[in-house]
């Protein structure tokens, strides 16, 4: 199923037709009076498509949200049928302003929001082997229409793996303006606020000294 928070100038059917390797299927649910559009086969840019895995199930595609980045549209999707946990169960699709498909990638980029007209901030999370990583990344769309991201802060909660581990995860991300944002971190049950200010292409963040910091 594909659905948009707001339109990028294309209808749902046209969007899905652009990414499905076979024609999409329209189904109507008389009970809910909702129309769903499905991709009968996983697209080639998804993990299942790249590995050429045989799939007899219908691929559900849910567009979580869309953002305008520069003159392009970024559509972030969720697709548990076509992506494994290691890929974040989703990815992103880049369109131009006329709605033409430019690039599609697996690998869910997290919950993103505009920092300025040309760049975004993303709050990401990934859970594996009892370890929860949450991190803030600063991203742009490069000349190859691919998201180019740099991590600003990574918090690790390993209490699901270590008996005496550290509780630390990012709870909220707030954008003030194009040069300022802040986020909140839960560490051992106490909430810390980190304020960040842009200096050129670098973000200087105050409040990190109180946290166990891990930046790749």
């Amino acid at each position: 199923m594909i659905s948009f928070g707001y339109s990028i100038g294309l209808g749902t059917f046209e969007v899905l037709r652009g990414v499905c390797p076979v024609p999409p299927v329209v189904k109507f649910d008389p009970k809910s009076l909702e129309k769903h559009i499905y991709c009968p086969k996983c697209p080639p840019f998804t993990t299942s498509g790249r590995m050429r895995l045989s799939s007899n199930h219908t691929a559900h595609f849910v567009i979580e949200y869309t953002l305008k980045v520069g003159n392009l549209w970024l559509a972030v999707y969720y697709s548990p049928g076509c992506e494994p946990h290691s890929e974040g169960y989703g990815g992103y699709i880049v369109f131009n302003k006329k709605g033409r498909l430019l690039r599609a990638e697996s690998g869910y980029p997290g919950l993103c929001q505009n920092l300025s007209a040309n760049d975004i901030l993303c709050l990401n999370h990934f859970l594996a082997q009892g370890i929860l990583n949450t991190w803030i990344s600063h991203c742009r769309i490069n000349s190859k229409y691919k998201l180019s991201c740099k991590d600003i802060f990574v918090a690790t909660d390993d209490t699901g793996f270590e008996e005496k581990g550290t509780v630390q995860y990012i709870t909220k991300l707030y954008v003030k303006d194009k040069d300022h944002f802040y986020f909140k971190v839960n560490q051992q049950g106490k909430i810390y606020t980190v304020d960040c200010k842009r200096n050129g292409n670098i973000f200087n963040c105050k409040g990190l000294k109180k946290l166990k910091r891990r930046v790749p």
Side-chain angles (χ1 to χ4, degrees), residues 54-123:
S54 60
S55 176
N56 296 321
H57 62 81
T58 300
H60 290 243
F61 262 68
V62 180
I63 296 297
E64 300 268 279
Y65 58 90
T66 58
L67 288 173
K68 190 174 183 181
V69 187
N71 292 321
L72 304 175
W73 285 100
L74 176 70
V76 178
Y77 72 84
Y78 177 78
S79 180
C82 298
E83 307 287 356
H85 190 178
S86 59
E87 292 282 355
Y89 296 123
Y92 65 89
I93 306 167
V94 180
F95 297 89
N96 67 7
K97 59 183 179 180
K98 294 183 179 180
R100 183 169 67 88
L101 175 66
L102 299 176
R103 191 181 188 98
E105 290 280 341
S106 61
Y108 189 75
L111 299 174
C112 305
Q113 54 186 299
N114 288 102
L115 183 62
S116 73
N118 297 304
D119 58 348
I120 60 177
L121 283 176
C122 299
L123 172 55

Side-chain angles (χ1 to χ4, degrees), residues 65-174:
Y65 58 90
T66 58
L67 288 173
K68 190 174 183 181
V69 187
N71 292 321
L72 304 175
W73 285 100
L74 176 70
V76 178
Y77 72 84
Y78 177 78
S79 180
C82 298
E83 307 287 356
H85 190 178
S86 59
E87 292 282 355
Y89 296 123
Y92 65 89
I93 306 167
V94 180
F95 297 89
N96 67 7
K97 59 183 179 180
K98 294 183 179 180
R100 183 169 67 88
L101 175 66
L102 299 176
R103 191 181 188 98
E105 290 280 341
S106 61
Y108 189 75
L111 299 174
C112 305
Q113 54 186 299
N114 288 102
L115 183 62
S116 73
N118 297 304
D119 58 348
I120 60 177
L121 283 176
C122 299
L123 172 55
N124 313 277
H125 69 277
F126 184 74
L127 176 64
Q129 302 299 319
I131 299 176
L132 172 65
N133 284 325
T134 53
W135 68 99
I136 304 290
S137 56
H138 176 226
C139 305
R140 298 175 184 272
I141 298 178
N142 63 23
S143 58
K144 296 181 180 180
Y145 306 116
K146 186 173 183 178
L147 275 185
S148 177
C149 301
K150 183 177 181 181
D151 293 343
I152 295 174
F153 177 77
V154 179
T156 301
D157 184 341
D158 57 4
T159 52
F161 183 78
E162 298 282 349
E163 184 177 348
K164 296 182 179 180
T166 300
V167 175
Q168 186 190 82
Y169 56 91
I170 303 169
T171 61
K172 295 286 184 180
L173 170 64
Y174 304 88

